[in-house]
Amino acid sequence: MRLASKDVLGLQDMSTTDMQLILDTAESLKEIISRPIKKVPTLRGKTVLTLFYEPSTRTRTSFELAGKYMSADTVNIATTTSSVVKGETLRDTAKTVEVMGMDMVIMRHPISGSCHYLAKILDASVINAGDGMHEHPTQGLLDMFTIRQRKGRLKGLRVAIVGDIYHSRVARSNIWGLTKMGAEVVVAGPSTLIPPYIEELGVKAYTRVEEAIEGADVVNVLRLQLERQQKGLFPSTREYARIFGVNQERLALAKVDYLLMHPGPMNRGVEIASDVADGEHSTITEQVTNGVAIRMAILYLLLGGATDETAD
Ligand code: CP
């Protein structure tokens, strides 16, 4: 089984068949993570590069672990210690590593569309690990995977995405993925942090968090991206926490068995209260584990997949 494309660039253009295939494959690969010996030979001889132009803990590490668990050789370029600081272009960096024999390049870059550009100029597979304010498809898939594992379905669920929608590539990937899979998606946040076109994506937008959370099966809280803010989009983080912060009181409006999600890293006490982040409804640590399973599935479907060698 293979994906339709050699690349995973976003969920806007991914078919439901491919999304379903990735989720199902992750389901069967997840148990490898809890084995005492976390190693299967599936991707032996394959070489995977992580090329990150922005900081990351979860995404970069989970891709690297996913590769290692499946016996691929993984290489990391930290742009701060590479020839990027000497002015090397993205094209030259990518072509340089490709001729060394890379089968896959996993990239995070501050410019929207950069991964699409890379996919056009390389024969190797390209995975978008976050491009500017555009998409973060593997985060969208791991969020859908977490919901599906806990709730048994995606179709018909009400998912509230709360916070800084404007700067969020996580929000866009979740919206495209979840709406295609039949979920009802609503978003909420300050009007300055909600793009004017958002309802064209098939979601309902609110400026009162309470309206979005009411009756929700899932509340996905987004990080306030302080590093991307322009001045004046909200008065202060204290004010933001008071009006838009997700806390116990607001979550009482959700369904009794709601899931609380956050892609991380969190600003505790700003967009999310610390007690709910660590509370019984939280899936935040589970999302991180599921991130490894989703990334193993994508590596398997793009680089392996022709034969079933997942079992020892
Ligand atoms: N959720 C996420 O992308 O986290 P990192 O920035 O740590 O990779």
Side-chain angles (χ1 to χ4, degrees), residues 239-283:
E239 196 70 355
Y240 183 91
R242 192 176 67 75
I243 303 170
F244 300 101
V246 172
N247 55 25
Q248 208 66 265
E249 195 185 338
R250 295 195 167 115
L251 286 167
L253 298 165
K255 292 221 176 97
V256 285
D257 58 347
Y258 73 88
L259 302 181
L260 178 68
M261 308 180 76
H262 191 301
M266 292 181 272
N267 298 302
R268 287 176 181 262
V270 181
E271 73 265 6
I272 189 165
S274 213
D275 62 335
V276 299
D278 301 324
E280 59 176 328
H281 293 272
S282 172
T283 62

mmCIF file of all heavy atoms in Angstrom, residues 239-283:
data_model
loop_
_atom_site.group_PDB
_atom_site.id
_atom_site.type_symbol
_atom_site.label_atom_id
_atom_site.label_comp_id
_atom_site.label_asym_id
_atom_site.label_seq_id
_atom_site.Cartn_x
_atom_site.Cartn_y
_atom_site.Cartn_z
ATOM 1 N N GLU A 239 -4.506 39.564 30.214
ATOM 2 C CA GLU A 239 -5.840 39.832 29.691
ATOM 3 C C GLU A 239 -6.317 38.661 28.811
ATOM 4 O O GLU A 239 -7.470 38.252 28.857
ATOM 5 C CB GLU A 239 -5.771 41.139 28.873
ATOM 6 C CG GLU A 239 -7.087 41.787 28.577
ATOM 7 C CD GLU A 239 -7.768 42.398 29.801
ATOM 8 O OE1 GLU A 239 -7.271 42.238 30.929
ATOM 9 O OE2 GLU A 239 -8.832 43.017 29.602
ATOM 10 N N TYR A 240 -5.394 38.142 27.992
ATOM 11 C CA TYR A 240 -5.717 37.005 27.120
ATOM 12 C C TYR A 240 -6.186 35.815 27.958
ATOM 13 O O TYR A 240 -7.212 35.187 27.677
ATOM 14 C CB TYR A 240 -4.496 36.617 26.275
ATOM 15 C CG TYR A 240 -4.798 35.507 25.301
ATOM 16 C CD1 TYR A 240 -5.234 35.792 24.010
ATOM 17 C CD2 TYR A 240 -4.685 34.169 25.676
ATOM 18 C CE1 TYR A 240 -5.544 34.769 23.118
ATOM 19 C CE2 TYR A 240 -4.992 33.146 24.795
ATOM 20 C CZ TYR A 240 -5.416 33.449 23.514
ATOM 21 O OH TYR A 240 -5.727 32.455 22.631
ATOM 22 N N ALA A 241 -5.415 35.509 29.024
ATOM 23 C CA ALA A 241 -5.767 34.378 29.898
ATOM 24 C C ALA A 241 -7.143 34.580 30.515
ATOM 25 O O ALA A 241 -7.942 33.646 30.608
ATOM 26 C CB ALA A 241 -4.713 34.219 30.985
ATOM 27 N N ARG A 242 -7.448 35.818 30.908
ATOM 28 C CA ARG A 242 -8.718 36.106 31.572
ATOM 29 C C ARG A 242 -9.911 35.906 30.620
ATOM 30 O O ARG A 242 -10.909 35.303 30.989
ATOM 31 C CB ARG A 242 -8.701 37.550 32.109
ATOM 32 C CG ARG A 242 -9.850 37.880 33.065
ATOM 33 C CD ARG A 242 -9.702 39.288 33.628
ATOM 34 N NE ARG A 242 -9.853 40.341 32.626
ATOM 35 C CZ ARG A 242 -11.009 40.738 32.099
ATOM 36 N NH1 ARG A 242 -12.127 40.175 32.465
ATOM 37 N NH2 ARG A 242 -11.052 41.708 31.195
ATOM 38 N N ILE A 243 -9.757 36.367 29.369
ATOM 39 C CA ILE A 243 -10.902 36.333 28.442
ATOM 40 C C ILE A 243 -10.944 35.056 27.591
ATOM 41 O O ILE A 243 -12.014 34.545 27.295
ATOM 42 C CB ILE A 243 -10.894 37.588 27.526
ATOM 43 C CG1 ILE A 243 -10.911 38.844 28.391
ATOM 44 C CG2 ILE A 243 -12.076 37.598 26.555
ATOM 45 C CD1 ILE A 243 -10.676 40.132 27.627
ATOM 46 N N PHE A 244 -9.766 34.557 27.212
ATOM 47 C CA PHE A 244 -9.740 33.430 26.262
ATOM 48 C C PHE A 244 -9.098 32.161 26.816
ATOM 49 O O PHE A 244 -9.114 31.120 26.146
ATOM 50 C CB PHE A 244 -9.003 33.845 24.979
ATOM 51 C CG PHE A 244 -9.637 35.005 24.287
ATOM 52 C CD1 PHE A 244 -9.111 36.285 24.413
ATOM 53 C CD2 PHE A 244 -10.787 34.840 23.529
ATOM 54 C CE1 PHE A 244 -9.715 37.373 23.795
ATOM 55 C CE2 PHE A 244 -11.399 35.918 22.903
ATOM 56 C CZ PHE A 244 -10.861 37.197 23.040
ATOM 57 N N GLY A 245 -8.526 32.221 28.009
ATOM 58 C CA GLY A 245 -7.840 31.052 28.563
ATOM 59 C C GLY A 245 -8.810 29.900 28.800
ATOM 60 O O GLY A 245 -9.950 30.102 29.228
ATOM 61 N N VAL A 246 -8.365 28.680 28.497
ATOM 62 C CA VAL A 246 -9.209 27.501 28.702
ATOM 63 C C VAL A 246 -8.954 26.976 30.122
ATOM 64 O O VAL A 246 -7.833 26.610 30.466
ATOM 65 C CB VAL A 246 -8.920 26.442 27.619
ATOM 66 C CG1 VAL A 246 -9.656 25.136 27.928
ATOM 67 C CG2 VAL A 246 -9.344 26.976 26.252
ATOM 68 N N ASN A 247 -10.016 27.014 30.915
ATOM 69 C CA ASN A 247 -9.903 26.624 32.323
ATOM 70 C C ASN A 247 -11.085 25.717 32.698
ATOM 71 O O ASN A 247 -11.975 25.454 31.877
ATOM 72 C CB ASN A 247 -9.847 27.882 33.217
ATOM 73 C CG ASN A 247 -11.047 28.800 32.964
ATOM 74 O OD1 ASN A 247 -12.107 28.343 32.523
ATOM 75 N ND2 ASN A 247 -10.893 30.085 33.216
ATOM 76 N N GLN A 248 -11.053 25.276 33.938
ATOM 77 C CA GLN A 248 -12.067 24.352 34.462
ATOM 78 C C GLN A 248 -13.487 24.878 34.243
ATOM 79 O O GLN A 248 -14.381 24.146 33.809
ATOM 80 C CB GLN A 248 -11.792 24.196 35.963
ATOM 81 C CG GLN A 248 -12.198 22.898 36.587
ATOM 82 C CD GLN A 248 -11.394 21.702 36.073
ATOM 83 O OE1 GLN A 248 -11.870 21.041 35.148
ATOM 84 N NE2 GLN A 248 -10.242 21.436 36.650
ATOM 85 N N GLU A 249 -13.669 26.155 34.543
ATOM 86 C CA GLU A 249 -15.003 26.766 34.469
ATOM 87 C C GLU A 249 -15.539 26.731 33.030
ATOM 88 O O GLU A 249 -16.693 26.364 32.790
ATOM 89 C CB GLU A 249 -14.880 28.208 34.964
ATOM 90 C CG GLU A 249 -16.185 28.878 35.286
ATOM 91 C CD GLU A 249 -15.951 30.340 35.639
ATOM 92 O OE1 GLU A 249 -14.827 30.723 36.025
ATOM 93 O OE2 GLU A 249 -16.925 31.114 35.476
ATOM 94 N N ARG A 250 -14.706 27.102 32.092
ATOM 95 C CA ARG A 250 -15.155 27.104 30.682
ATOM 96 C C ARG A 250 -15.366 25.685 30.180
ATOM 97 O O ARG A 250 -16.281 25.411 29.393
ATOM 98 C CB ARG A 250 -14.147 27.860 29.807
ATOM 99 C CG ARG A 250 -14.090 29.345 30.173
ATOM 100 C CD ARG A 250 -13.401 30.225 29.155
ATOM 101 N NE ARG A 250 -13.696 31.612 29.482
ATOM 102 C CZ ARG A 250 -12.797 32.514 29.872
ATOM 103 N NH1 ARG A 250 -11.524 32.202 29.943
ATOM 104 N NH2 ARG A 250 -13.169 33.738 30.169
ATOM 105 N N LEU A 251 -14.514 24.759 30.606
ATOM 106 C CA LEU A 251 -14.638 23.378 30.127
ATOM 107 C C LEU A 251 -15.893 22.687 30.675
ATOM 108 O O LEU A 251 -16.327 21.673 30.122
ATOM 109 C CB LEU A 251 -13.379 22.579 30.498
ATOM 110 C CG LEU A 251 -12.148 22.935 29.644
ATOM 111 C CD1 LEU A 251 -10.882 22.352 30.253
ATOM 112 C CD2 LEU A 251 -12.299 22.479 28.199
ATOM 113 N N ALA A 252 -16.472 23.244 31.727
ATOM 114 C CA ALA A 252 -17.716 22.676 32.267
ATOM 115 C C ALA A 252 -18.848 22.767 31.236
ATOM 116 O O ALA A 252 -19.859 22.069 31.342
ATOM 117 C CB ALA A 252 -18.096 23.404 33.548
ATOM 118 N N LEU A 253 -18.666 23.598 30.206
ATOM 119 C CA LEU A 253 -19.674 23.741 29.146
ATOM 120 C C LEU A 253 -19.588 22.623 28.099
ATOM 121 O O LEU A 253 -20.515 22.421 27.311
ATOM 122 C CB LEU A 253 -19.508 25.092 28.434
ATOM 123 C CG LEU A 253 -19.695 26.349 29.301
ATOM 124 C CD1 LEU A 253 -19.154 27.573 28.582
ATOM 125 C CD2 LEU A 253 -21.183 26.529 29.618
ATOM 126 N N ALA A 254 -18.449 21.922 28.074
ATOM 127 C CA ALA A 254 -18.258 20.852 27.076
ATOM 128 C C ALA A 254 -19.042 19.615 27.502
ATOM 129 O O ALA A 254 -19.596 19.562 28.594
ATOM 130 C CB ALA A 254 -16.768 20.527 26.967
ATOM 131 N N LYS A 255 -19.078 18.609 26.623
ATOM 132 C CA LYS A 255 -19.738 17.336 26.997
ATOM 133 C C LYS A 255 -19.007 16.722 28.199
ATOM 134 O O LYS A 255 -17.825 16.997 28.397
ATOM 135 C CB LYS A 255 -19.680 16.365 25.813
ATOM 136 C CG LYS A 255 -20.539 16.787 24.635
ATOM 137 C CD LYS A 255 -21.269 15.577 24.034
ATOM 138 C CE LYS A 255 -22.196 16.019 22.915
ATOM 139 N NZ LYS A 255 -21.600 15.875 21.588
ATOM 140 N N VAL A 256 -19.677 15.879 28.959
ATOM 141 C CA VAL A 256 -19.053 15.348 30.184
ATOM 142 C C VAL A 256 -17.785 14.539 29.907
ATOM 143 O O VAL A 256 -16.856 14.513 30.707
ATOM 144 C CB VAL A 256 -20.028 14.481 31.027
ATOM 145 C CG1 VAL A 256 -21.035 15.336 31.757
ATOM 146 C CG2 VAL A 256 -20.695 13.422 30.181
ATOM 147 N N ASP A 257 -17.741 13.880 28.742
ATOM 148 C CA ASP A 257 -16.581 13.035 28.433
ATOM 149 C C ASP A 257 -15.663 13.705 27.392
ATOM 150 O O ASP A 257 -15.079 13.051 26.544
ATOM 151 C CB ASP A 257 -17.057 11.676 27.914
ATOM 152 C CG ASP A 257 -17.947 11.824 26.676
ATOM 153 O OD1 ASP A 257 -18.381 12.966 26.382
ATOM 154 O OD2 ASP A 257 -18.210 10.820 25.994
ATOM 155 N N TYR A 258 -15.531 15.021 27.481
ATOM 156 C CA TYR A 258 -14.733 15.763 26.486
ATOM 157 C C TYR A 258 -13.252 15.379 26.560
ATOM 158 O O TYR A 258 -12.771 14.913 27.603
ATOM 159 C CB TYR A 258 -14.898 17.282 26.686
ATOM 160 C CG TYR A 258 -14.195 17.834 27.903
ATOM 161 C CD1 TYR A 258 -12.871 18.246 27.847
ATOM 162 C CD2 TYR A 258 -14.856 17.922 29.127
ATOM 163 C CE1 TYR A 258 -12.221 18.733 28.968
ATOM 164 C CE2 TYR A 258 -14.215 18.407 30.257
ATOM 165 C CZ TYR A 258 -12.898 18.809 30.165
ATOM 166 O OH TYR A 258 -12.253 19.267 31.279
ATOM 167 N N LEU A 259 -12.549 15.582 25.437
ATOM 168 C CA LEU A 259 -11.093 15.434 25.407
ATOM 169 C C LEU A 259 -10.479 16.821 25.361
ATOM 170 O O LEU A 259 -10.963 17.690 24.624
ATOM 171 C CB LEU A 259 -10.641 14.685 24.150
ATOM 172 C CG LEU A 259 -11.205 13.280 23.894
ATOM 173 C CD1 LEU A 259 -10.605 12.730 22.603
ATOM 174 C CD2 LEU A 259 -10.902 12.360 25.065
ATOM 175 N N LEU A 260 -9.411 17.009 26.116
ATOM 176 C CA LEU A 260 -8.684 18.279 26.083
ATOM 177 C C LEU A 260 -7.334 18.056 25.405
ATOM 178 O O LEU A 260 -6.535 17.228 25.860
ATOM 179 C CB LEU A 260 -8.461 18.817 27.503
ATOM 180 C CG LEU A 260 -7.649 20.121 27.528
ATOM 181 C CD1 LEU A 260 -8.427 21.274 26.928
ATOM 182 C CD2 LEU A 260 -7.197 20.453 28.945
ATOM 183 N N MET A 261 -7.103 18.806 24.310
ATOM 184 C CA MET A 261 -5.878 18.612 23.534
ATOM 185 C C MET A 261 -5.074 19.900 23.452
ATOM 186 O O MET A 261 -5.615 21.002 23.574
ATOM 187 C CB MET A 261 -6.239 18.138 22.114
ATOM 188 C CG MET A 261 -7.153 16.933 22.109
ATOM 189 S SD MET A 261 -7.585 16.378 20.451
ATOM 190 C CE MET A 261 -6.081 15.571 19.980
ATOM 191 N N HIS A 262 -3.782 19.743 23.235
ATOM 192 C CA HIS A 262 -2.892 20.891 22.980
ATOM 193 C C HIS A 262 -1.692 20.325 22.204
ATOM 194 O O HIS A 262 -1.144 19.300 22.597
ATOM 195 C CB HIS A 262 -2.445 21.522 24.304
ATOM 196 C CG HIS A 262 -1.759 22.853 24.149
ATOM 197 N ND1 HIS A 262 -0.609 23.032 23.395
ATOM 198 C CD2 HIS A 262 -2.056 24.077 24.654
ATOM 199 C CE1 HIS A 262 -0.257 24.309 23.443
ATOM 200 N NE2 HIS A 262 -1.115 24.970 24.188
ATOM 201 N N PRO A 263 -1.296 20.982 21.094
ATOM 202 C CA PRO A 263 -0.187 20.412 20.313
ATOM 203 C C PRO A 263 1.170 20.563 21.000
ATOM 204 O O PRO A 263 2.118 19.865 20.657
ATOM 205 C CB PRO A 263 -0.217 21.228 19.010
ATOM 206 C CG PRO A 263 -0.896 22.517 19.382
ATOM 207 C CD PRO A 263 -1.871 22.175 20.483
ATOM 208 N N GLY A 264 1.271 21.497 21.970
ATOM 209 C CA GLY A 264 2.540 21.796 22.617
ATOM 210 C C GLY A 264 3.430 22.609 21.691
ATOM 211 O O GLY A 264 3.232 22.587 20.479
ATOM 212 N N PRO A 265 4.396 23.329 22.235
ATOM 213 C CA PRO A 265 4.618 23.539 23.660
ATOM 214 C C PRO A 265 3.547 24.462 24.245
ATOM 215 O O PRO A 265 3.018 25.304 23.531
ATOM 216 C CB PRO A 265 6.007 24.190 23.714
ATOM 217 C CG PRO A 265 6.180 24.857 22.389
ATOM 218 C CD PRO A 265 5.400 24.048 21.399
ATOM 219 N N MET A 266 3.252 24.283 25.548
ATOM 220 C CA MET A 266 2.177 25.077 26.168
ATOM 221 C C MET A 266 2.718 26.316 26.859
ATOM 222 O O MET A 266 3.813 26.285 27.408
ATOM 223 C CB MET A 266 1.487 24.247 27.263
ATOM 224 C CG MET A 266 0.706 23.088 26.774
ATOM 225 S SD MET A 266 -0.069 22.229 28.187
ATOM 226 C CE MET A 266 1.195 21.082 28.657
ATOM 227 N N ASN A 267 1.919 27.382 26.846
ATOM 228 C CA ASN A 267 2.136 28.505 27.757
ATOM 229 C C ASN A 267 1.154 28.287 28.903
ATOM 230 O O ASN A 267 -0.011 28.710 28.829
ATOM 231 C CB ASN A 267 1.809 29.846 27.075
ATOM 232 C CG ASN A 267 2.691 30.141 25.880
ATOM 233 O OD1 ASN A 267 3.901 30.200 25.997
ATOM 234 N ND2 ASN A 267 2.083 30.343 24.720
ATOM 235 N N ARG A 268 1.609 27.584 29.928
ATOM 236 C CA ARG A 268 0.721 27.305 31.072
ATOM 237 C C ARG A 268 0.314 28.602 31.743
ATOM 238 O O ARG A 268 1.145 29.506 31.924
ATOM 239 C CB ARG A 268 1.429 26.403 32.094
ATOM 240 C CG ARG A 268 1.577 24.961 31.643
ATOM 241 C CD ARG A 268 2.369 24.171 32.668
ATOM 242 N NE ARG A 268 2.554 22.783 32.237
ATOM 243 C CZ ARG A 268 1.792 21.764 32.646
ATOM 244 N NH1 ARG A 268 0.816 21.978 33.503
ATOM 245 N NH2 ARG A 268 2.027 20.546 32.214
ATOM 246 N N GLY A 269 -0.969 28.695 32.069
ATOM 247 C CA GLY A 269 -1.459 29.903 32.731
ATOM 248 C C GLY A 269 -1.795 31.015 31.749
ATOM 249 O O GLY A 269 -2.277 32.070 32.140
ATOM 250 N N VAL A 270 -1.555 30.791 30.438
ATOM 251 C CA VAL A 270 -1.938 31.785 29.421
ATOM 252 C C VAL A 270 -3.115 31.197 28.632
ATOM 253 O O VAL A 270 -4.266 31.449 28.971
ATOM 254 C CB VAL A 270 -0.752 32.195 28.510
ATOM 255 C CG1 VAL A 270 -1.204 33.247 27.491
ATOM 256 C CG2 VAL A 270 0.406 32.722 29.341
ATOM 257 N N GLU A 271 -2.829 30.376 27.603
ATOM 258 C CA GLU A 271 -3.958 29.820 26.828
ATOM 259 C C GLU A 271 -4.608 28.624 27.531
ATOM 260 O O GLU A 271 -5.737 28.249 27.188
ATOM 261 C CB GLU A 271 -3.530 29.430 25.402
ATOM 262 C CG GLU A 271 -2.662 28.182 25.296
ATOM 263 C CD GLU A 271 -1.185 28.503 25.273
ATOM 264 O OE1 GLU A 271 -0.852 29.679 25.451
ATOM 265 O OE2 GLU A 271 -0.369 27.562 25.079
ATOM 266 N N ILE A 272 -3.891 28.019 28.483
ATOM 267 C CA ILE A 272 -4.444 26.824 29.149
ATOM 268 C C ILE A 272 -4.070 26.863 30.630
ATOM 269 O O ILE A 272 -2.905 27.156 30.979
ATOM 270 C CB ILE A 272 -3.929 25.543 28.450
ATOM 271 C CG1 ILE A 272 -4.645 24.286 28.963
ATOM 272 C CG2 ILE A 272 -2.415 25.379 28.583
ATOM 273 C CD1 ILE A 272 -4.442 23.061 28.060
ATOM 274 N N ALA A 273 -5.057 26.564 31.496
ATOM 275 C CA ALA A 273 -4.763 26.513 32.941
ATOM 276 C C ALA A 273 -4.001 25.228 33.237
ATOM 277 O O ALA A 273 -4.269 24.182 32.638
ATOM 278 C CB ALA A 273 -6.071 26.546 33.727
ATOM 279 N N SER A 274 -3.049 25.339 34.134
ATOM 280 C CA SER A 274 -2.169 24.213 34.420
ATOM 281 C C SER A 274 -2.931 22.982 34.938
ATOM 282 O O SER A 274 -2.618 21.851 34.555
ATOM 283 C CB SER A 274 -1.118 24.644 35.440
ATOM 284 O OG SER A 274 0.067 23.966 35.186
ATOM 285 N N ASP A 275 -3.949 23.197 35.776
ATOM 286 C CA ASP A 275 -4.651 22.036 36.339
ATOM 287 C C ASP A 275 -5.415 21.258 35.269
ATOM 288 O O ASP A 275 -5.458 20.027 35.307
ATOM 289 C CB ASP A 275 -5.576 22.459 37.504
ATOM 290 C CG ASP A 275 -6.679 23.423 37.066
ATOM 291 O OD1 ASP A 275 -6.501 24.133 36.049
ATOM 292 O OD2 ASP A 275 -7.728 23.472 37.728
ATOM 293 N N VAL A 276 -5.965 21.939 34.272
ATOM 294 C CA VAL A 276 -6.679 21.187 33.225
ATOM 295 C C VAL A 276 -5.701 20.518 32.259
ATOM 296 O O VAL A 276 -5.966 19.428 31.739
ATOM 297 C CB VAL A 276 -7.747 22.037 32.468
ATOM 298 C CG1 VAL A 276 -8.820 22.539 33.403
ATOM 299 C CG2 VAL A 276 -7.140 23.153 31.661
ATOM 300 N N ALA A 277 -4.536 21.145 32.051
ATOM 301 C CA ALA A 277 -3.521 20.536 31.172
ATOM 302 C C ALA A 277 -3.085 19.182 31.732
ATOM 303 O O ALA A 277 -2.769 18.260 30.982
ATOM 304 C CB ALA A 277 -2.323 21.463 31.033
ATOM 305 N N ASP A 278 -3.055 19.070 33.067
ATOM 306 C CA ASP A 278 -2.642 17.817 33.710
ATOM 307 C C ASP A 278 -3.844 17.006 34.206
ATOM 308 O O ASP A 278 -3.669 16.009 34.903
ATOM 309 C CB ASP A 278 -1.723 18.126 34.915
ATOM 310 C CG ASP A 278 -0.478 18.896 34.484
ATOM 311 O OD1 ASP A 278 0.029 18.615 33.394
ATOM 312 O OD2 ASP A 278 -0.030 19.783 35.235
ATOM 313 N N GLY A 279 -5.036 17.414 33.842
ATOM 314 C CA GLY A 279 -6.262 16.804 34.390
ATOM 315 C C GLY A 279 -6.667 15.522 33.681
ATOM 316 O O GLY A 279 -6.034 15.083 32.715
ATOM 317 N N GLU A 280 -7.772 14.953 34.149
ATOM 318 C CA GLU A 280 -8.216 13.627 33.673
ATOM 319 C C GLU A 280 -8.683 13.616 32.215
ATOM 320 O O GLU A 280 -8.698 12.567 31.571
ATOM 321 C CB GLU A 280 -9.317 13.078 34.599
ATOM 322 C CG GLU A 280 -10.522 14.003 34.672
ATOM 323 C CD GLU A 280 -11.663 13.434 35.504
ATOM 324 O OE1 GLU A 280 -11.818 12.209 35.529
ATOM 325 O OE2 GLU A 280 -12.411 14.234 36.100
ATOM 326 N N HIS A 281 -9.086 14.763 31.694
ATOM 327 C CA HIS A 281 -9.568 14.801 30.301
ATOM 328 C C HIS A 281 -8.431 15.055 29.297
ATOM 329 O O HIS A 281 -8.640 14.988 28.093
ATOM 330 C CB HIS A 281 -10.621 15.905 30.143
ATOM 331 C CG HIS A 281 -11.890 15.616 30.891
ATOM 332 N ND1 HIS A 281 -12.929 14.903 30.341
ATOM 333 C CD2 HIS A 281 -12.275 15.928 32.147
ATOM 334 C CE1 HIS A 281 -13.916 14.791 31.218
ATOM 335 N NE2 HIS A 281 -13.535 15.415 32.330
ATOM 336 N N SER A 282 -7.259 15.385 29.825
ATOM 337 C CA SER A 282 -6.150 15.789 28.951
ATOM 338 C C SER A 282 -5.561 14.604 28.180
ATOM 339 O O SER A 282 -5.316 13.539 28.747
ATOM 340 C CB SER A 282 -5.048 16.441 29.796
ATOM 341 O OG SER A 282 -3.914 16.670 28.996
ATOM 342 N N THR A 283 -5.307 14.821 26.873
ATOM 343 C CA THR A 283 -4.654 13.790 26.036
ATOM 344 C C THR A 283 -3.273 14.282 25.581
ATOM 345 O O THR A 283 -2.721 13.757 24.619
ATOM 346 C CB THR A 283 -5.496 13.481 24.780
ATOM 347 O OG1 THR A 283 -5.596 14.691 24.003
ATOM 348 C CG2 THR A 283 -6.889 12.986 25.104
#
